[in-house]
Amino acid sequence: MDADPKKSYNLERINFLIVDDNKHMRALVKTILHALGSKSVHEAADGAEAFKELRHFPADIIICDWNMQPLDGLDFVKLVRTGSDSPNPYVPIIMLTGHTEMTKVMEARDSGVHEFLAKPISAKSLYSRIRSIIERPREFVRTKTYFGPDRRRQQIDYRGPERRKNAQKKVVDAAEAEPSEGGEGGELSQAEVEALMNG
Amino acid sequence: MSGDDGVFIRPPTDIRNKVSVGGPGSVDQAALARAEKVILDMAGSFVDMVHEDVANLHKELEALKSNGGDAATLDNIYRMTHDIKGQGGSFKYDLITTISRQLCNFIEELKGNVKPADIEVIALHVDALQVVIAQDLKGDGGDVGSNLLSGLEKVIAKRSSGQD
């Protein structure tokens, strides 16, 4: 199902965080976002810096490159999703990458990204992913091995009345959800990030 | 299947509360066209930006020649080339992306087993990237671009057939 092409959204109040170790790509994404009307765009050069940025910047959408050093995009996503001290485990993440192999896409999906944006990028392709996030908000799922957006991409309506037909399905608000026990979900603490950074 | 045995959680915030639809400042077709124009304007300085990246790639190539195909050096070359590949097309220099993609594929096929003739193939691709930058070949590079690609493809075909 494609996003509704007729919807033109005002992105002025959306906080974006760009995470990319390539300054040219950061500049390009930032320029596109500004051209699309965004006022609040922060940048980080790697995953660890981005994680620190999230502590004081309430990002609504993160646009993250896959290939970064020393902490790559997937490690960063896992840290945001399951890190014990993550400031925002539910933030939508767009993974930006030159890898377009299915195995890579699946890998990104299984790490907890919302959208996958293949390079080369354009204003149209970037906006398309942003629009998908706006139009298809997703519940999160916590299982023994995964925490992230529902990979079935089912559309939900938070604002409407509860419309679940499946009585077996338990949906809770984020505040009621129990925190991850860690381990199997690839939980990383800040200390583990430092360990990764230092090889 | 995800979630069959798990707990479904409503995220604490709904991004739709922060966006409005239509009106001044919204992203319509005209706004998208303006944004694409901004990218084109930025592309004007792309050659200057990528020049340093390709120069660094050349340094790694020299290191690869010196160390005879060290795996870590080859990995650096792959990563740097992959990075350049993503930038090229984004800044409307498609030929840079095509050459870089071809080099990435070639390195992947080596599976870490690098012979002197392979280093020569890598060197020719790096040289080609430098030509694109020196001549500022935008898009597919026209006839010069076609000739460059054709030459590189022949070199790879020859190498793949086992001829040095």
Side-chain angles (χ1 to χ4, degrees), chain A residues 20 24 149 163 189:
Chain A
D20 197 326
H24 308 147
R163 56 182 177 79
S189 66

Side-chain angles (χ1 to χ4, degrees), chain A residues 44-157:
Chain A
D46 62 53
E49 187 182 321
F51 201 71
K52 287 178 189 167
E53 186 73 17
L54 280 177
R55 294 189 195 287
H56 63 84
F57 178 63
D60 297 303
I61 294 177
I62 294 175
I63 299 167
C64 171
D65 189 43
W66 185 315
N67 284 349
M68 293 187 292
Q69 287 189 323
L71 189 69
D72 76 13
L74 286 192
D75 289 331
F76 171 67
V77 173
K78 288 173 186 168
L79 186 67
V80 170
R81 294 286 180 246
T82 61
S84 55
D85 51 353
S86 174
N88 189 355
Y90 299 96
V91 62
I93 298 175
I94 299 172
M95 180 65 85
L96 182 62
T97 176
H99 294 295
T100 52
E101 304 91 336
M102 180 54 76
T103 53
K104 292 285 188 182
V105 177
M106 299 296 279
E107 200 178 348
R109 186 195 73 155
D110 291 344
S111 74
V113 306
H114 279 68
E115 298 290 334
F116 190 84
L117 178 55
K119 296 177 193 172
I121 67 167
S122 65
K124 189 178 173 186
S125 65
L126 178 58
Y127 179 62
S128 160
R129 299 310 184 280
I130 295 168
R131 207 174 55 189
S132 290
I133 286 173
I134 294 169
E135 293 177 355
R136 301 175 193 151
R138 281 191 268 164
E139 289 167 347
F140 270 59
V141 178
R142 187 186 302 288
T143 70
K144 288 180 179 175
T145 56
Y146 175 76
F147 175 71
D150 187 351
R151 290 171 286 190
R152 292 178 300 185
R153 299 180 69 95
Q154 184 178 15
Q155 189 164 354
I156 59 173
D157 187 351

Side-chain angles (χ1 to χ4, degrees), chain A residues 7-11 13-15 22-25 27-28 31-32 35-36 60-61 67 69 90 97-99 101 119-124 127 133-134 137-143 146-147 150-152 156-159 162 169-174 177, chain B residues 1-29 31-32 34-36 38-39 42 46 49-50 52-53 75-76 78-79 82-83 85-92 94 97 101 108:
Chain A
K7 291 285 178 67
S8 57
Y9 296 100
N10 188 316
L11 307 180
R13 293 174 58 216
I14 303 289
N15 294 329
N22 184 294
K23 60 186 177 186
H24 308 147
M25 288 304 293
L28 177 65
T31 300
I32 294 173
L36 295 179
D60 297 303
I61 294 177
N67 284 349
Q69 287 189 323
Y90 299 96
T97 176
H99 294 295
E101 304 91 336
K119 296 177 193 172
I121 67 167
S122 65
K124 189 178 173 186
Y127 179 62
I133 286 173
I134 294 169
R138 281 191 268 164
E139 289 167 347
F140 270 59
V141 178
R142 187 186 302 288
T143 70
Y146 175 76
F147 175 71
D150 187 351
R151 290 171 286 190
R152 292 178 300 185
I156 59 173
D157 187 351
Y158 308 146
R159 294 180 290 196
E162 184 60 65
K169 185 175 175 181
K170 183 185 178 191
V171 184
V172 300
D173 289 325
Chain B
M1 186 68 222
S2 69
D4 286 350
D5 304 315
V7 176
F8 288 80
I9 305 162
R10 269 183 221 95
T13 57
D14 185 342
I15 199 169
R16 289 175 296 182
N17 291 327
K18 295 187 76 173
V19 297
S20 55
V21 182
S26 63
V27 184
D28 54 15
Q29 290 302 317
L32 283 173
R34 284 196 300 274
E36 296 291 354
V38 169
I39 296 174
M42 238 185 132
F46 173 66
M49 292 192 288
V50 81
E52 184 183 344
D53 294 346
D75 191 52
N76 281 342
Y78 178 84
R79 188 176 45 77
H82 197 270
D83 202 33
K85 182 187 91 169
Q87 293 180 68
S90 300
F91 286 96
K92 314 303 177 193
D94 301 319
T97 290
R101 181 185 296 118
E108 282 173 14

